[in-house]
Amino acid sequence: MLRIDNLVKSFGGEKSRGKKKTASSAAVFAVNNVSFEVKEGELFTLLGPSGCGKTTTLRSIAGLEKPDSGTISVGDRVMFSSTGRGRTVNMPANKRGLGMVFQSYAIWPHMTVFDNVAFPLQVRERSDRPSKKVIAEKVERVLATMQLSEQSGRQATKLSGGQQQRLALARALVIEPPLLLLDEPLSNLDAKLRESLRYELKRLQRELGITSVYVTHDQVEALALSTQIAVMERGGVVQLGKPRDIYEQPANKFVAEFIGTSNFIPGTVASQRAGRHCVETSNGILYLESASQLPVGSEVVVSIRPEAVELSTTARGEQVANEWQGTVVTRAFLGDAVDHVVAVGEHEVRARVNPSVSIESGTSVYLQLDPSKISLVPVN
Ligand SMILES: Nc1ncnc2c1ncn2[C@@H]1O[C@H](COP(=O)(O)OP(=O)(O)OP(=O)(O)O)[C@@H](O)[C@H]1O
Ligand SMILES: [Mg+2]
C-alpha cells in the first residue's frame, strides 16, 4: 500500500559546490536511508525519541517536505522519486489526496462543526465535487462515527479538547483518503482523555480499515495501537516488527530501554544448542530460550522485563530453571502491581508482581526467572 525506499532528508548544509563547508553549514540528516512498507489496513507506527526524524518522515509522505532522495509510493502512484540527481517526481501535497491530523488540531474556529467537516469536499474542483446532498450525507456519517452528531451545529471553538481532536479526525476522514497520516494527534490531551481516544481510534481504524501511519514518542500508545512499529533513532529505523516482538525481542539496548523499563545483566554465552542458551553472569548461570544462535563466548546483555520476574520468600529449587537469591531494597505500590527492587550480587533487579505480593525491604527473597521470557540483546 505505502512503500518508502531509501528515504533521505537533510536540513541546512551547503548546497552549492566548491564552497568550503563550515561547521555551521553541515547538514543535519533528519531522515537517513529509511525504508518500510505499510500493508493495506495496517496501523503503522513510527516510534522514537524527540528529534529522531518521525515528523520529517511523515511530512515527506504528505508532500510537505521535499526529500533529498528516495522513493515514496501509495498503491501504484509514485508520490516522490529521486536518486539525488537527474529527474525527480514530486507530486504536490494537494494532489496526493492523503488525510492528515497533526498535534495542534487546526480546526477552523469561525465555522460550525458541520462546516469544518464539509469544507474539504466543498473546495474541490467542480468536476470532482459531490452534490450538496451527498456532502451532507458524508459529513453526517463521519460525525456519527466520531460521536459528534449532537454538536454538528455548534461553533467549533465551543468544543472540548477531545471533541476538537475528534473533529480534526472527522475532517481528515471525510475525504476517504487511501492513507491517513497522524502526527502525535493525542499529545495535547490529558492522560484520561488520551487513553479513551486511543481506544476509540483503534476501534475506528479497525472498523473502517483505514491504512494509517501514526507518529508518537509514547511507547505505551504505540504498543496499544499498532499492527507494526518502526522504532527510530537518529534518522534511521533500528527495529521493525509487531508490538509484541519489539517488546519481547528488542534488537538492541536502545530499543529495550526505550520500549520499557527492563533489567539488563551482562554476561557471556557459555553454551548454546538449538536456541537454548546458557549465559554466565556475575550472579550465576542463566538458562534462556532465544532465536538468536549466538556462538559460545559471545558477549551479551540479558534483558529481563520486571513483570517476568517472580518473587517468593522460600526457594523453589529444582522446580524452576533459574532461581537467584537476593534482598529486597525497596518496594512501591502501583495500584495494579507492586514494584520491588531486589539486590542480587552486584546488580539490582526490578520485579513487578501481583499486588497480593508485597515484601518488606530487608527481607531475603528468591527470584524466579522464566527462560522463555528472557531475551538476549547483542552488545553493539
Ligand atoms: N525545518 C527544519 N530545519 C532544520 N532542521 C530541522 C527542521 N525540521 C526538523 N529538523 C531537524 O531534524 C531532526 C528530526 O526532526 P523531526 O521533527 O523529524 O523529529 P521528531 O522525531 O518528529 O521529534 P519530536 O518527537 O520532537 O516531534 C531534528 O534534529 C530537527 O532539529
Ligand atoms: Mg515530531
Side-chain angles (χ1 to χ4, degrees), residues 199-218:
Y199 288 107
E200 247 174 76
L201 200 64
K202 184 164 180 150
R203 173 185 61 83
L204 202 78
Q205 196 271 337
R206 271 217 203 112
E207 274 176 24
L208 305 179
I210 289 199
T211 314
S212 318
V213 181
Y214 192 92
V215 161
T216 183
H217 63 266
D218 181 337

Side-chain angles (χ1 to χ4, degrees), residues 134-182:
V134 173
I135 290 181
E137 278 166 12
K138 282 181 188 284
V139 172
E140 274 153 23
R141 198 174 330 131
V142 175
L143 288 178
T145 317
M146 295 314 299
Q147 293 167 5
L148 284 171
S149 300
E150 277 179 38
Q151 288 80 18
S152 176
R154 202 183 285 180
Q155 194 78 18
T157 45
K158 296 199 174 119
L159 296 177
S160 71
Q163 288 168 335
Q164 291 192 15
Q165 196 54 298
R166 291 212 299 261
L167 175 57
L169 258 171
R171 208 178 48 190
L173 290 173
V174 81
I175 61 167
E176 295 165 37
L179 186 67
L180 185 61
L181 307 173
L182 304 137

Side-chain angles (χ1 to χ4, degrees), residues 219-235:
Q219 45 278 55
V220 178
E221 199 162 285
L223 292 172
L225 273 175
S226 322
T227 45
Q228 291 279 333
I229 298 176
V231 183
M232 291 185 73
E233 183 191 16
R234 279 184 268 128

